[in-house]
Amino acid sequence: MEIGGLGLPEIIILLVVFLMLVVPPVAIIALIVFLVKRNKHSNASTKKCTFCAYSIPVEAKLCRFCGREVAQ
């Protein structure tokens, strides 16, 4: 198998080098996006339900996850 005069070993080497150059930056960007989204959910406008421990808005009177009434 040849592509543009390159044999299979050269193609495999080029593929490995390409993946080594592309995958780390994409993984870093995905990690940053994940961390930013996670921090958006843990801001000062939420509190934890005392029954199920999910984050709910501070103004909530009922937990949307377990349906119980939460203290203000």
Side-chain angles (χ1 to χ4, degrees), residues 10 14 21 27 29 34 36 43 47 49 53 55 59 64 67:
E10 291 89 3
L14 288 175
L21 293 174
I29 292 169
F34 171 75
V36 167
N43 57 20
K47 63 181 177 181
C49 173
S55 292
E59 300 86 16
R64 69 179 188 167

Side-chain angles (χ1 to χ4, degrees), residues 1-46:
M1 174 180 176
E2 287 192 16
I3 299 176
L6 297 175
L8 187 59
E10 291 89 3
I11 294 172
I12 292 173
I13 291 171
L14 288 175
L15 182 63
V16 169
V17 169
F18 175 76
L19 290 175
M20 288 174 58
L21 293 174
V22 171
V23 171
V26 171
I28 290 171
I29 292 169
L31 179 63
I32 291 170
V33 169
F34 171 75
L35 292 175
V36 167
K37 283 187 176 184
R38 191 177 86 182
N39 286 340
K40 282 185 181 179
H41 294 293
S42 62
N43 57 20
S45 65
T46 62

